[in-house]
Amino acid sequence: MTGQTVILSVSEGVAQVTLNRPEKLNSFTRIMHAELRAALDSIDRDSSVRAILLTGNGRGFCAGQDLEDILDPVSRAPGPVGPTLKEDYAPLVQRLHDHVLPVVCAVNGVAAGAGASIAFACDIVLAARSASFVQAFVKIGLVPDAGGSYFLPRIAGTARALGLTMLGDKLDAETAAQWGLIWRCCDDQDLMPESRNLAVRLAGMPTLALGLIKKQIRGSVQNNLVQQLELETELQERASRSHDHREGVAAFLQKRPPSFKGN
Ligand code: T3D
């Protein structure tokens, strides 16, 4: 399935979703949001997909909201932000964050504003060495959105979250990796092969367990120890009833590679 602003391709169990407005650094219009929703709906209907890979076309990953698209056609002043935040960004961030499948994000260039928030909502983020992350909101008199103010203090700590969001300076990919904002940074030419290999590898893993691991790790941010121990027990009971658990144990004992199905 290929829209104008989002390209979807599926192979080897991986659905690659490519944001495709390269001339505007893949900034979001309402049309791009709608096409991205359609791509994610299509992935949800396709049982061959076991992992998602999100990236951008051209020299940017995503420059957040398209600042032309928010202008009132008559006054040329920015319109109200509420509708797109509620109808587009919040459901998108929630969907990526809570998706039952592993979501790899390959940040091929600058990730600014909501573009950075969307990357942080994914499970494993790789970035090209030339890529950067910019909390651009303050430069246009806005505050972080699309989950940015949720993710940043949790993954970077309050001091770095405040510095990044209040100053709006570019953070290079290498520093982002050193600060633990992303999984790793790689040479530009290696980004897509490495990200793809990772997504294919995840697609061959026990993906039901991977979905439950996401729930566990994300749950632990809010839970106390008692709640987390209860969550671990509940999710481990579910994992232990899976085909993949039986297969993993059998393969280990028979000294052969496992064949996981994701159920
Ligand atoms: O409604 C709401 O506002 C609610 C939603 C808010 C969520 C948000 O994301 S708010 C934050 C919006 N994003 C920004 O403020 C980032 C704006 N862009 C930049 O600051 C810079 O472009 C970058 C730091 C990302 C990259 O800089 P650079 O020098 O590498 O590229 P550039 O030359 O600025 O951009 C290249 C082209 O993309 C250029 O177009 P042109 O002149 O070649 O025709 C530029 O205008 C366009 N572009 C980049 N970002 C956006 C954009 N066009 C529209 N909207 C953008 N966000």
Side-chain angles (χ1 to χ4, degrees), residues 63-234:
Q65 173 61 41
D66 183 308
L67 298 176
E68 280 281 326
D69 206 49
I70 57 170
L71 300 182
D72 180 280
V74 180
S75 68
R76 303 295 287 162
V81 299
T84 188
L85 290 182
K86 285 191 194 130
E87 293 160 22
D88 299 323
Y89 287 102
L92 169 63
V93 164
Q94 195 88 56
R95 196 167 181 180
L96 293 170
H97 182 266
D98 295 348
H99 208 285
V100 292
L101 295 175
V103 184
V104 175
C105 184
V107 179
N108 52 299
V110 65
S117 306
I118 285 161
F120 296 145
C122 298
D123 303 321
I124 300 189
V125 184
L126 293 93
R129 209 166 295 285
S130 67
S132 56
F133 297 84
V134 195
Q135 293 299 305
F137 307 94
V138 72
K139 294 186 177 171
I140 52 168
L142 289 182
V143 300
D145 62 21
S149 65
Y150 174 89
F151 296 120
L152 268 177
R154 284 169 170 77
I155 57 182
T158 311
R160 283 170 172 165
L162 282 170
L164 290 170
T165 52
M166 292 176 73
L167 299 172
D169 290 342
K170 260 189 192 181
L171 184 74
D172 61 86
E174 210 147 336
T175 311
Q178 279 162 14
W179 286 8
L181 268 69
I182 61 172
W183 172 241
R184 60 182 256 104
C185 141
C186 37
D187 290 339
D188 287 18
Q189 69 276 13
D190 297 335
L191 177 73
M192 287 320 291
E194 280 204 25
S195 304
R196 182 137 195 107
N197 283 345
L198 186 64
V200 170
R201 178 177 155 204
L202 287 164
M205 290 176 69
T207 41
L208 183 134
L210 293 181
L212 299 178
I213 290 171
K214 285 172 66 164
K215 269 196 170 177
Q216 254 187 355
I217 299 301
R218 299 210 186 280
S220 86
V221 175
Q222 272 93 17
N223 285 346
N224 61 31
L225 180 60
V226 173
Q227 292 165 325
Q228 192 63 16
L229 288 168
E230 280 170 9
L231 182 66
E232 282 182 356
T233 305
E234 178 200 326

Side-chain angles (χ1 to χ4, degrees), residues 47 50 101 203 205-210 212 238-248 259-263:
S47 58
R50 302 268 303 278
L101 295 175
M205 290 176 69
T207 41
L208 183 134
L210 293 181
L212 299 178
R238 276 169 64 186
S240 71
R241 290 193 298 270
S242 67
H243 160 274
D244 286 349
H245 173 54
R246 288 191 300 278
E247 167 63 9
S259 172
F260 294 121
K261 290 185 181 170
N263 59 38

